[in-house]
Amino acid sequence: MSESTVDAAAAALRLGAISIPAKFEAIGFMSYAGEMKKITFTMPFREVAERLTFERLLTRHDFDAESLTTPGQRDISEKHAEKIATFLSDTVRPYLGTLTIAIPEDQVKVDVLQAVAVNVWLVKFVVPMTSENPIVEDGQHRVKGLTDAWRRVMNDSPAEEFAEARKMLEKSSIEMTLLLEGNAAVLSTIFVKMASTRPISPSLIAIMDSSAVQNRLGQQVTRNSAYLSDRTAYLGAKAAQELAASKGKKYDPLYPAAAVRSAAAAIAGVGVRDRTPDQREDILNQIFTERANGERRSLDEVIKATAEEIATILDYAFTRIPGWREVADNRMTASQFKAEYVHSSAAGLHVIANVLAAAQLAGVGHHHVVEEIAKLPWRRDDLREVSQDGEDVKVHQLFEDTLVRTVFDTKTGQWKAGQAGATRGAYEEATRKVISMLARIDGLSALNDRSVLTRLGLVTAGRGRPRKK
C-alpha cells in the first residue's frame, strides 16, 4: 500500500463515523468481479464474533425451492460447526480464510477515498441501521463456529482453561468480502459454485491434517514403516510421479493413505467398530487416553509409541506374507502385486490388519500369527474346482465372494479371479474366515474367542439385529 493510500485511510478514520447510524462500517478495497462490485476488508475477531453473527447483523436461510426472492443455502451441520469451534479453541493459529457476505448495492453507502490501482479503490463504507442485514454467501459454518468458540473462551469456561485461546483470538482478525449484490438467483448460483470446488481426497486429508488422532496415527505409521513410507499414495498420479521424479525415485503406489490410516486404527484396537470416521476418532481417543493414564504418559507419547509398534508389526508381515515379501525385496512392483494377489486391495489390507488386531486383543504373539497368515492362499490364481448347479466351475480357495469373485474369461478360456468389491461386509466376512482357520492351529485358538470377536466388532455384544453378511 502506498504512503498516500495510508494517509487517506488514516484521514478517513480521523474524521470519525459518518453521521448516519450504522450497523457496521469499515475501510476496505473496492473492486469488481465482472459486473459485480465487491469490497474486501478486515475486522477484529472480537467484532465479528460479537456483532456479525446470525443473532445480530447477519442473516441466513435454508434454501427454499418455492422462494424466488430469498437467497438460501444448504442447512447447517452442527457437528461441522463444532469442529471449527474446537479448532479455534485449541490452535495458536486461528485462521479461517475469507468470509463472504452479500447485500444489495443500494443498501450500502460507499465513499471513495482514493484509487489505488486499475479498477481498485480505497473506500470507506457504511451499512446504515435502515438497511437489511447482509447474508452469508460463503462461510456459514465458520461464522457459527467462530461465534461458539468466542462464547466458549470468554463466557462458558473457567478463566484459566482457555486463557491461551482468549489471547490468540483477541489478537486475531478475519478477512471479509462484501458482495454488493442482492439478486437471489445470482447469489444462490455463486454459492453453489463456491461450494462445489474439487473436494480434497480422503488420502490427502489423512496425510495433511494432524488435528485428528487417527490421521496422526496413520501419518506416523506411514513414516515409520520401511515398506509403506515410499509406497503410500496421497496425490494424483501425475503429481505423485513428478514428486517422486524430483527425488530421484519411481512412483510405485501400494495402498492409499486413507487405507493405511484405517488399517493402523484397526490394529490399534478399533477393529471393525468404526462405522464412521467420527466413531473411529472417538474409539481411538478412548484407547489412547486409557493407555496414557495407565502409563502416565502424554497423549502424543502414546500415539508415537503405538505408531512405532504398529509399523514394526506391519514391516515384519511385509517380510513374510507372499506378495508383500516380493515387494519388500524389490522382486515385484506394486503393479505386479496388484495383478497377482488378493490382499493388494484396501479390503485385503484391512483383513490382515484386523487379524493382527485380533492377535493383539487375544494376547497372541504377532510373529506366530503372521507366519500362519503367510501360509494362506493369497494369490488370485489359487483356485479350486467345485460343482454348482451340476456344472464344474472354479472359485478361489478361501476368499470367493469376499475379496474376489471368479469368472470365466471367454477370450482366454481361463477362470480369473477379479475383485469382489470393497464392501465392509465382504472384508469382515473374509476376516472371520481367516480367524476361524487360524484358530484351529495350536496356540491360536484364543483368536476365535467370543470376547475377542466382540471387542473387534465382528460379533455384536448382547441382543440386537444380526450383522449383515
Side-chain angles (χ1 to χ4, degrees):
M1 186 183 295
S2 68
E3 185 176 348
S4 61
T5 302
V6 173
D7 291 341
L13 292 172
R14 284 194 296 270
L15 288 174
I18 295 176
S19 58
I20 59 175
K23 290 187 174 182
F24 69 94
E25 59 185 292
I27 300 292
F29 292 97
M30 186 170 71
S31 57
Y32 281 95
E35 296 181 349
M36 180 174 63
K37 292 179 182 177
K38 56 187 174 69
I39 302 174
T40 302
F41 59 102
T42 300
M43 296 189 74
F45 193 102
R46 174 191 285 271
E47 187 168 355
V48 177
E50 292 183 349
R51 299 183 66 225
L52 288 176
T53 66
F54 295 137
E55 293 85 355
R56 294 195 63 186
L57 299 181
L58 292 182
T59 300
R60 68 164 302 281
H61 301 280
D62 289 339
F63 187 81
D64 183 353
E66 296 180 357
S67 174
L68 299 178
T69 59
T70 303
Q73 296 185 316
R74 58 186 168 191
D75 54 311
I76 283 185
S77 165
E78 296 290 338
K79 185 173 290 187
H80 184 54
E82 172 57 27
K83 287 182 178 179
I84 296 171
T86 301
F87 162 71
L88 293 173
S89 305
D90 292 343
T91 184
V92 295
R93 296 176 177 83
Y95 178 69
L96 286 176
T98 301
L99 302 179
T100 305
I101 60 180
I103 193 171
E105 185 175 357
D106 61 8
Q107 301 285 306
V108 184
K109 178 175 175 54
V110 180
D111 287 337
V112 175
L113 304 178
Q114 183 174 325
V116 296
V118 177
N119 289 324
V120 180
W121 300 267
L122 179 69
V123 301
K124 183 174 183 179
F125 71 93
V126 179
V127 177
M129 290 298 295
T130 54
S131 297
E132 58 192 57
N133 284 343
I135 68 160
V136 175
E137 178 67 6
D138 182 59
Q140 59 176 355
H141 287 93
R142 285 172 285 160
V143 169
K144 187 175 190 318
L146 70 87
T147 303
D148 292 345
W150 183 255
R151 290 171 178 165
R152 180 178 302 171
V153 304
M154 296 301 293
N155 306 319
D156 300 339
S157 57
E160 303 79 13
E161 183 178 356
F162 287 110
E164 183 67 11
R166 279 193 294 274
K167 178 182 175 182
M168 292 300 105
L169 295 183
E170 284 180 327
K171 71 184 292 187
S172 299
S173 296
I174 295 178
E175 293 77 38
M176 310 278 293
T177 294
L178 177 65
L179 306 181
L180 302 183
E181 176 63 60
N183 186 301
V186 170
L187 292 173
S188 294
T189 299
I190 291 175
F191 170 73
V192 170
K193 297 303 180 184
M194 293 178 74
S196 299
T197 54
R198 183 184 177 192
I200 302 175
S201 74
S203 288
L204 187 55
I205 291 173
I207 288 294
M208 289 182 65
D209 178 17
S210 297
S211 65
V213 295
Q214 60 187 293
N215 292 346
R216 289 160 61 190
L217 177 67
Q219 291 161 10
Q220 294 186 42
V221 167
T222 299
R223 294 182 184 125
N224 288 329
S225 170
Y227 304 112
L228 288 172
S229 57
D230 291 330
R231 296 186 175 94
T232 299
Y234 56 90
L235 294 174
K238 183 178 179 181
Q241 289 167 358
E242 292 174 350
L243 179 61
S246 71
K247 299 178 180 179
K249 300 177 180 179
K250 184 178 180 181
Y251 179 57
D252 194 28
L254 197 59
Y255 296 107
V260 175
R261 173 187 60 188
S262 53
I267 299 174
V270 175
V272 297
R273 293 179 290 163
D274 53 340
R275 316 310 286 187
T276 67
D278 287 341
Q279 191 173 18
R280 181 190 305 136
E281 186 77 0
D282 291 341
I283 296 171
L284 272 179
N285 268 312
Q286 182 179 354
I287 291 171
F288 291 147
T289 299
E290 289 177 357
R291 180 171 176 179
N293 292 338
E295 299 177 4
R296 296 185 178 180
R297 304 167 75 181
S298 70
L299 187 65
D300 287 343
E301 290 173 330
V302 167
I303 294 174
K304 180 180 179 182
T306 305
E308 290 173 350
E309 293 160 6
I310 293 172
T312 299
I313 293 168
L314 286 174
D315 281 353
Y316 181 78
F318 261 91
T319 64
R320 295 294 190 274
I321 297 175
W324 280 0
R325 181 179 57 214
E326 286 73 19
V327 171
D329 292 341
N330 292 316
R331 290 182 284 124
M332 177 179 286
T333 66
S335 297
Q336 292 171 320
F337 170 62
K338 292 174 182 178
E340 297 181 22
Y341 288 89
V342 301
H343 54 303
S344 60
S345 65
L349 170 64
H350 284 107
V351 169
I352 295 176
N354 280 290
V355 174
L356 294 173
Q360 188 96 335
L361 294 171
V364 175
H366 288 102
H367 285 197
H368 188 188
V369 172
V370 167
E371 298 298 339
E372 296 303 329
I373 289 175
K375 298 175 184 178
L376 298 177
W378 293 104
R379 290 188 59 87
R380 291 189 184 279
D381 56 6
D382 285 331
L383 306 179
R384 59 189 173 91
E385 193 171 277
V386 298
S387 178
Q388 289 184 356
D389 299 326
E391 183 180 356
D392 291 336
V393 300
K394 288 190 176 181
V395 297
H396 195 269
Q397 291 186 27
L398 181 59
F399 297 113
E400 189 69 28
D401 289 330
T402 56
L403 297 182
V404 299
R405 183 165 292 118
T406 307
V407 296
F408 185 76
D409 188 340
T410 56
K411 292 183 179 179
T412 63
Q414 301 289 328
W415 289 91
K416 290 187 175 181
Q419 290 190 13
T423 64
R424 173 178 286 270
Y427 72 72
E428 285 183 7
E429 182 60 26
T431 303
R432 288 190 189 90
K433 283 188 174 183
V434 173
I435 288 175
S436 178
M437 291 191 69
L438 297 185
R440 303 170 190 170
I441 299 168
D442 288 343
L444 299 184
S445 60
L447 291 175
N448 209 30
D449 284 354
R450 184 176 181 83
S451 61
V452 171
L453 299 181
T454 299
R455 292 174 65 191
L456 198 63
L458 290 173
V459 170
T460 302
R463 294 184 177 181
R465 185 174 61 185
R467 189 185 300 274
K468 291 183 178 180
K469 293 186 179 182

